Amino acid sequence: MSAIEVGMKVMVELPGMKDKLHTRFVGYINKRCVITTIPLVPEVNRSMLYEHLYKGNAMTVRFIKSGSVLGFATLIQHVSFSPFPLLFLEFPDKIESFNLRKDSRVNCLFPVAMALNGTTIQGALLDISKSGCGIGIQGEESQKITFEIDDVVRVQCPFLFKSEDERVDCVIKRINKSGSKVDLGLKFNQIPESLLSVIHDYVQQMTMYLDD
C-alpha cells in the first residue's frame, strides 16, 4: 500500500454502475482499512452512486504507478459524509500489477544536458528504459525553454553514455509542470546501437539488483 501516495488519483468501479469513478487516496491503517474520498459525480448521477455506497458492497480500486496499473478488490466497510465525505474499505489481501510499458524501466539519477532550438539546459535523468526516459528540470533552467508535445530534443548524459560527445534525439511525449519544476517523458527517436546496448545492460543490472 505504500506505493499509493496520499492525494493520488485512483479509479474505482462498483457493480451496477457502468462508469468508472475517480477519487483520491487519503490513507490506510495497515491490515485494517483503506481510506479514499467519495467519488465526485454530476448531480444527476449522485443518487445512483449513493445507492451503491453501502457496507459490504464490492469495489475494485486501480491506480497507475511507475508505468504499471496496480489494483485490488475490496468491500466497503463504512461510508462517512461528515465531517468529510470518505470511504473506508477493507484492507486488501493482495495488490495485483500489470505493466503498461513494453520495456522494463528503472529509476536513476544522472545529470543531463538537453538541447532544443539552439538552447541547452541542465537537468536530471530520473528513469530510463530501452525505449525512452524521464527527465526532471528545476529552478531557472525550467524557465529557459517552453516545451511542447512532440518537440524533438537532444539529450547528452556522459555518466551513463560513457562519453561527452554521445547525444540522443528524443521526442517529448509527456509534460508535467509543478511550480518551477518540469518533468518530461521522452521517447527515443534515433539512438545508436552502441548506446542502446549500454542502456540495456544498465537496465538489466539494476533490475536484477532491485529484484534481489
Side-chain angles (χ1 to χ4, degrees):
M1 292 301 301
S2 60
I4 317 180
E5 300 171 2
V6 172
M8 177 183 286
K9 290 182 180 179
V10 297
M11 182 182 71
V12 299
E13 296 180 49
L14 286 160
M17 294 198 69
K18 295 181 180 179
D19 296 333
K20 296 178 175 62
L21 307 172
H22 296 272
T23 183
R24 291 188 180 274
F25 178 73
V26 175
Y28 68 94
I29 300 175
N30 196 32
K31 304 298 182 182
R32 297 183 64 183
C33 70
V34 176
I35 307 168
T36 73
T37 58
I38 291 178
L40 288 175
V41 296
E43 187 173 350
V44 66
N45 296 329
R46 203 162 296 163
S47 60
M48 180 181 294
L49 170 64
Y50 292 167
E51 288 177 6
H52 290 80
L53 296 181
Y54 57 86
K55 182 178 179 179
N57 196 18
M59 177 178 283
T60 301
V61 179
R62 293 189 176 91
F63 60 99
I64 297 177
K65 180 72 174 182
S66 301
S68 294
V69 175
L70 291 90
F72 57 89
T74 184
L75 299 176
I76 297 175
Q77 277 186 345
H78 179 70
V79 183
S80 172
F81 291 98
S82 178
F84 304 104
L86 298 173
L87 285 179
F88 294 79
L89 311 173
E90 290 190 1
F91 198 88
D93 293 326
K94 63 178 179 178
I95 296 179
E96 298 181 344
S97 174
F98 174 74
N99 195 344
L100 293 175
R101 297 186 175 117
K102 63 179 181 179
D103 296 315
S104 297
R105 182 176 296 250
V106 296
N107 294 331
C108 56
L109 189 60
F110 295 111
V112 296
M114 186 167 56
L116 175 64
N117 297 329
T119 301
T120 300
I121 62 174
Q122 306 299 314
L125 187 70
L126 303 178
D127 58 64
I128 193 164
S129 73
K130 290 193 300 180
S131 58
C133 63
I135 288 181
I137 307 148
Q138 297 193 44
E140 295 181 0
E141 295 294 297
S142 67
Q143 309 302 314
K144 293 180 180 179
I145 297 179
T146 299
F147 298 101
E148 302 289 344
I149 297 294
D150 291 332
D151 277 347
V152 177
V153 295
R154 184 159 289 180
V155 176
Q156 189 176 7
C157 185
F159 283 91
L160 181 60
F161 298 162
K162 301 184 173 100
S163 170
E164 294 282 349
D165 301 320
E166 292 283 9
R167 294 170 174 80
V168 177
D169 287 340
C170 305
V171 180
I172 297 176
K173 292 299 181 182
R174 173 179 53 81
I175 303 172
N176 289 333
K177 297 181 180 179
S178 178
S180 63
K181 181 180 179 182
V182 177
D183 287 335
L184 302 177
L186 308 181
K187 179 181 178 181
F188 295 139
N189 190 17
Q190 297 178 6
I191 181 168
E193 284 296 327
S194 58
L195 287 187
L196 196 59
S197 178
V198 170
I199 292 170
H200 175 266
D201 290 345
Y202 175 77
V203 171
Q204 289 294 103
Q205 291 171 6
M206 291 301 296
T207 301
M208 290 175 61
Y209 174 78
L210 292 173
D211 285 344
D212 291 339

